[in-house]
């Protein structure tokens, strides 16, 4: 009877370990997705910042043409 109990404990522990491993795997996939999204957002922000800087430079050139000298 003791061996049966031990086998049941081992089986239960193995199931729990498998469940935790699956949860960790899902969490890692979620983290990977978040990192990918953050990377995409960072690239988009960098592009928009560059565009704003270009627009600012153009506006500065236009305004400088109208300054009194």
């Amino acid at each position: 009877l003791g061996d049966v109990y031990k086998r049941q404990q081992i089986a239960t522990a193995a199931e729990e370990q498998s469940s935790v491993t699956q949860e960790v795997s899902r969490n890692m996939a979620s983290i990977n997705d978040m990192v990918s999204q953050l990377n995409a957002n960072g690239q988009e922000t960098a592009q928009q910042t560059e565009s704003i800087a270009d627009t600012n430079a153009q506006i500065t050139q236009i305004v400088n043409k109208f300054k009194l000298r």
Side-chain angles (χ1 to χ4, degrees):
L1 190 61
D3 286 343
V4 172
Y5 179 72
K6 287 179 185 178
R7 285 189 207 126
Q8 287 175 340
Q9 282 186 319
I10 291 170
T12 300
E15 288 175 9
E16 289 174 359
Q17 186 177 19
S18 176
S19 177
V20 169
T21 300
Q22 290 174 2
E23 183 177 351
V24 168
S25 180
R26 283 191 301 271
N27 289 341
M28 291 300 292
S30 293
I31 290 169
N32 187 46
D33 291 344
M34 287 182 217
V35 168
S36 294
Q37 186 63 47
L38 286 171
N39 184 44
N41 289 346
Q43 289 176 354
E44 183 178 344
T45 299
Q47 290 171 351
Q48 290 175 352
T49 300
E50 187 175 330
S51 177
I52 290 170
D54 290 345
T55 302
N56 185 47
Q58 291 172 358
I59 290 171
T60 299
Q61 288 177 349
I62 292 169
V63 169
N64 285 339
K65 290 180 182 179
F66 293 101
K67 284 187 177 178
L68 295 176
R69 296 183 190 235

